[in-house]
């Protein structure tokens, strides 16, 4: 089966991009990645990204946006599926992906926000959501058991953020959630998850975490 020409427009640090990249790698799909910088967006980017966000997948030059929409599209144009076959199970998977979107969003707030109050608020929401997720995790090593799925692709980039910041954060996000910790460990050992990041990920991350305008960045400096 011949596939369209695929190019993923990305930022080096973006976890949403990594979801799409994981799906491309899991399904062994030929593709290109073009990295652009969030602080120097090229003019053409505004023509292809209605929300001015990455990822955007160029499909024979035609733009498709929203990470999980991209993942589902990639899944559908290739053999096999990273979604359960049963419609209800598939809907449940989509619901937990949506649940993960909020935790990922709050994870960004945790590191980016300027003030202590919203940092603490984000932390309490994240821990609360982790408790709920822990109660609802029914399988291992992955969300649906032995088979890797799009729910795994959706959460893995967030787990990477917690892995690389575990010695910097003033709390252990997995302290009361051993099942999530084991899920994260299984995902972080998976080749697609290891390979989905830009070569300069750690350098870019360092710059992001130590921003003087973020509460988290300032808290690092005074430690
Ligand atoms: N819901 C979007 C979120 C994507 C997103 O927030 N991307 C960030 C980078 S990690 C972005 O492009 N931010 C630019 C901005 O908000 O202006 C998706 O899942 O694709």
């Amino acid at each position: 089966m011949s596939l369209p020409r695929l190019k993923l427009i990305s930022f080096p640090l973006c976890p949403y991009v990594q979801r799409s990249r994981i799906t491309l790698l899991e399904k062994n799909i030929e593709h290109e990645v073009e990295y652009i910088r969030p602080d120097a967006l090229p003019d053409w980017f505004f023509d292809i990204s209605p929300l001015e966000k990455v990822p955007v997948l160029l499909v024979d030059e035609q733009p498709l946006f929203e990470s999980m929409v991209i993942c589902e599209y990639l899944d559908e144009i290739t053999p096999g599926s990273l979604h359960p076959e049963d419609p209800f199970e598939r809907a449940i998977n989509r619901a937990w992906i949506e649940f993960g979107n909020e935790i990922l969003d709050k994870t960004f707030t945790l590191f980016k926000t300027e003030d202590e109050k919203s940092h603490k608020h984000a932390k309490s929401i994240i821990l609360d959501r982790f408790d709920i997720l822990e109660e609802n995790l029914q399988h291992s090593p992955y969300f649906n058991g032995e088979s890797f799925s799009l729910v795994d692709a959706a959460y893995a980039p967030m787990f990477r953020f917690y892995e690389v910041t575990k010695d910097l954060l003033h709390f252990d996000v997995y302290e009361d959630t051993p099942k999530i910790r084991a899920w994260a460990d299984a995902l972080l050992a998976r080749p697609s998850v290891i390979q989905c990041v830009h070569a300069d990920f750690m350098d870019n991350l360092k710059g992001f975490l130590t921003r003087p305008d973020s509460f988290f960045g300032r808290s690092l400096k005074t430690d």
Side-chain angles (χ1 to χ4, degrees):
M1 183 175 60
S2 97
L3 293 178
R5 205 151 28 89
L6 300 170
K7 189 196 262 192
L8 190 66
I9 308 300
S10 312
F11 295 164
L13 210 53
C14 179
Y16 298 97
V17 163
Q18 290 166 25
R19 293 169 158 185
S20 306
R21 193 87 214 288
I22 289 169
T23 307
L24 284 158
L25 293 166
E26 283 291 337
K27 298 215 81 178
N28 216 1
I29 302 173
E30 202 177 317
H31 65 281
E32 271 178 75
V33 185
E34 179 165 348
Y35 286 99
I36 56 176
R37 289 166 45 107
D39 56 352
L41 294 172
D43 288 344
W44 54 260
F45 178 66
F46 299 99
D47 296 332
I48 63 165
S49 182
L51 294 171
E52 301 181 6
K53 291 181 180 188
V54 293
V56 174
L57 182 71
L58 290 176
V59 181
D60 280 339
E61 309 294 333
Q62 301 214 66
L64 178 65
F65 61 101
E66 278 300 316
S67 59
M68 291 317 295
V69 175
I70 293 172
C71 292
E72 290 207 354
Y73 166 73
L74 294 168
D75 192 38
E76 285 174 12
I77 60 168
T78 45
S81 181
L82 296 177
H83 254 329
E85 212 179 309
D86 176 74
F88 184 65
E89 285 303 317
R90 202 156 60 232
I92 294 279
N93 275 227
R94 289 189 177 118
W96 284 105
I97 288 171
E98 191 54 41
F99 190 85
N101 287 342
E102 200 215 357
I103 316 180
L104 184 52
D105 183 62
K106 289 291 174 286
T107 299
F108 256 111
T109 305
L110 191 73
F111 293 111
K112 247 179 107 168
T113 183
E114 289 177 20
D115 65 284
E116 183 172 4
K117 195 170 159 212
S118 57
H119 173 89
K120 284 190 169 158
H121 183 60
K123 176 183 163 184
S124 76
I125 293 178
I126 291 162
L127 293 179
D128 180 59
R129 299 296 186 267
F130 264 54
D131 282 345
I132 295 169
L133 183 59
E134 177 81 3
E135 279 171 29
N136 284 277
L137 273 186
Q138 293 173 0
H139 305 286
S140 71
Y142 303 123
F143 186 82
N144 290 313
E146 292 299 325
S147 311
F148 183 92
S149 70
L150 290 184
V151 186
D152 299 297
Y155 280 78
M158 178 182 77
F159 292 145
R160 179 191 310 285
F161 257 84
Y162 287 116
E163 173 63 21
V164 295
T165 57
K166 67 180 178 209
D167 296 329
L168 304 174
L169 273 175
H170 300 282
F171 64 99
D172 174 4
V173 73
Y174 303 119
E175 190 172 352
D176 299 321
T177 58
K179 285 193 281 178
I180 303 181
R181 187 194 295 274
W183 182 28
D185 287 347
L187 285 177
L188 292 170
R190 195 156 170 108
S192 65
V193 176
I194 294 169
Q195 289 160 24
C196 75
V197 288
H198 184 273
D200 295 336
F201 177 79
M202 286 310 286
D203 282 346
N204 279 281
L205 183 74
K206 217 164 145 196
F208 172 73
L209 293 176
T210 54
R211 289 154 55 125
D213 61 346
S214 76
F215 171 77
F216 179 76
R218 289 195 303 277
S219 77
L220 283 177
K221 289 198 167 62
T222 53
D223 268 348

